[in-house]
Each structure stands twice: as C-alpha cells, then as structure tokens.
Amino acid sequence: MNEGLYFEEYTEDWSFVSEGLEVTDEMIGAYVDLCKFTSPTFTDKAYVNKNYSGRMSPGLFVLSLAEGQVLNAGLTRRRGIFLMELAPKFLKPVFAGDTITNSVRLHSKRLTSKPDRGVVITSHEVKTQKGEVAIRYLSTRMIRTSAYVEAD
C-alpha cells in the first residue's frame, strides 16, 4: 500500500490481516541483547530447555513486531500523525520458530476539534501459526482526514 487510510476510510466492516512473520532465534537474541533483558528466561539456554518448550520471545518484542506488520503494510503511511496509545494483553508466549500474523479491525473512531484529523482505535489479535492468540491489544492513533492539505 503506497498510502494508508484516511480517517473516513475506517468503516465498521473494515479489517486487515498481515502477512505471516517468522520469529527467529536470532531476532529474539538481538532484541534481548539490545534491550538488556537479562532474565534467564531469555538468556540461559540450559534454563530455557529445562523449563520451556523452546526459546521464548519477550512479549514486548512480539508487540513491536506486530506494530511493524501494520507499518510494513502501509496502513498509516502518509496518513498517520502519531501513535497515541497501545493497550496490550499478553495471553500466550511466542517461541522461536513461530509465525505471527496481526488481525486488525476498527474498534472506534472520533473526529478531533481540528477538521483535518481524527482519532482511530483499532483492535488487534496477534496469532501464531497454530491460531492461538498471543497478544490482544488496542492501538490509538491520530489519523489525517481527507480534509488534510499537504504542505508544498
């Protein structure tokens, strides 16, 4: 999608499902190192092998990947003004080798006091290849309306 949706294009029946994204051991390792997630749950392979069925991904990393799926699809490209809030509920772990998709639908929307923008709340379900919902969340974004005039 070259350009995202204007506020008006978010209708009651609007929905989107992202392409699948495999969560790899290397991706988890890079995130854990970058963000200093020093818990044995994420860093100690012997501990992980003893206590879990594989290398678990931090929930915040999966949430970031899910938001990346929205951005990569272009849903807010040139239309999103800013991300105002995320309200996640982490329901199931995601492990290295799992593939996630992000199912998005309109939750609600409202115009702001300025005619060129509105607030759109979307509901998300991040699912694994098994169909299990790993994260359920709401995202609140300020989105341009079709009244927006782009500066030259």
Side-chain angles (χ1 to χ4, degrees), residues 5 7 10 14 63-64 66-72 74-77 79-87 102 104-106 108-112 117-124 137-144:
L5 301 172
F7 172 84
Y10 288 92
W14 176 84
L63 179 63
S64 295
E67 279 294 288
Q69 288 174 305
V70 168
L71 295 176
N72 189 50
L75 295 180
T76 61
R77 190 171 296 136
R79 303 293 185 252
I81 297 173
F82 70 94
L83 176 65
M84 299 168 67
E85 181 179 11
L86 293 176
N102 191 348
V104 188
R105 64 180 172 75
L106 177 68
S108 63
K109 68 179 189 175
R110 65 177 171 79
L111 287 168
T112 68
R117 62 195 69 188
V119 174
V120 174
I121 301 174
T122 50
S123 174
H124 301 250
Y137 70 101
L138 295 177
S139 65
T140 304
R141 290 180 165 81
M142 188 166 289
I143 302 289
R144 292 180 172 130

Side-chain angles (χ1 to χ4, degrees), residues 10-69:
Y10 288 92
T11 60
E12 281 188 30
D13 62 344
W14 176 84
S15 65
F16 168 80
V17 179
S18 74
E19 293 184 14
L21 174 65
E22 182 180 357
V23 180
T24 67
D25 186 71
E26 293 79 16
M27 292 163 66
I28 295 169
Y31 181 86
V32 165
D33 287 344
L34 178 67
C35 295
K36 309 299 183 216
F37 277 52
T38 58
S39 166
T41 300
F42 305 118
T43 60
D44 184 337
K45 287 187 182 194
Y47 179 82
V48 168
N49 291 337
K50 180 180 175 186
N51 294 286
Y52 302 104
S53 60
R55 186 167 194 185
M56 191 185 314
S57 179
L60 289 174
F61 178 53
V62 178
L63 179 63
S64 295
L65 291 174
E67 279 294 288
Q69 288 174 305

